[in-house]
Amino acid sequence: MVRRVLVDCPEEIPCNPCEYACKFGAIVVGEDITAIPQVNPELCTGCNRCIVACPGQACFVVDLDYTANEASVDIPYEYLPLPVVGQEVKAKNNEGEVVCKGRVEKVMVSPRNDHTPVIRLAVPKEKALEVRAMGFI
């Protein structure tokens, strides 16, 4: 597997910035703007544009083959202070519960990101699809 988007958008609300942010057509909401986004993983390049475009912080980019034992999860992070590369953090699920420890691999701050830093976490592979946020230890 390569880096692919995971859209965890459980509500049918009028929203489609992820669809417009994806230059490759990997995310489709369609004519019904309240539809839950659908992902075509074959079209996803893992570019992270959807992460910063999503006002609900529902887009994540996951690489299950990051290393032999770890996956990477790219998450939006809108708090200060920013974590630093190498820092150990609490990786959390949608409910805010700690699911595992993570390690900050990359802090991406770019004008292209519209003031939303993207943090790449290394986490155990078996927890990667649960991780949605991080907290400091």
Side-chain angles (χ1 to χ4, degrees):
M1 177 179 183
V2 293
R3 295 166 32 78
R4 297 284 190 241
V5 65
L6 168 68
V7 179
D8 188 1
C9 186
E11 297 182 45
E12 294 179 350
I13 57 173
C15 187
N16 64 355
C18 60
E19 179 178 34
Y20 286 102
C22 184
K23 304 298 183 202
F24 307 98
I27 302 174
V28 176
V29 175
E31 286 189 37
D32 179 2
I33 196 170
T34 63
I36 292 177
Q38 300 300 307
V39 175
N40 180 340
E42 297 304 315
L43 298 176
C44 181
T45 65
C47 72
N48 286 348
R49 288 183 179 155
C50 55
I51 293 176
V52 298
C54 178
Q57 297 184 338
C59 294
F60 310 88
V61 172
V62 178
D63 181 354
L64 292 175
D65 295 323
Y66 187 63
T67 70
N69 299 317
E70 295 176 316
S72 71
V73 182
D74 293 1
I75 62 170
Y77 191 78
E78 296 183 329
Y79 303 101
L80 292 175
L82 290 174
V84 296
V85 172
Q87 184 172 6
E88 192 172 273
V89 295
K90 299 174 189 174
K92 299 179 178 184
N93 64 15
N94 275 338
E95 288 76 39
E97 301 164 335
V98 176
V99 294
C100 61
K101 288 183 181 178
R103 183 180 64 257
V104 176
E105 292 290 294
K106 194 170 187 180
V107 178
M108 296 166 264
V109 180
S110 166
R112 179 185 79 143
N113 290 2
D114 193 27
H115 305 291
T116 301
V118 176
I119 309 300
R120 179 166 297 152
L121 299 178
V123 298
K125 283 187 182 197
E126 65 273 9
K127 297 296 183 178
L129 299 179
E130 295 178 59
V131 174
R132 302 291 181 267
M134 58 149 278
F136 292 105
I137 291 180

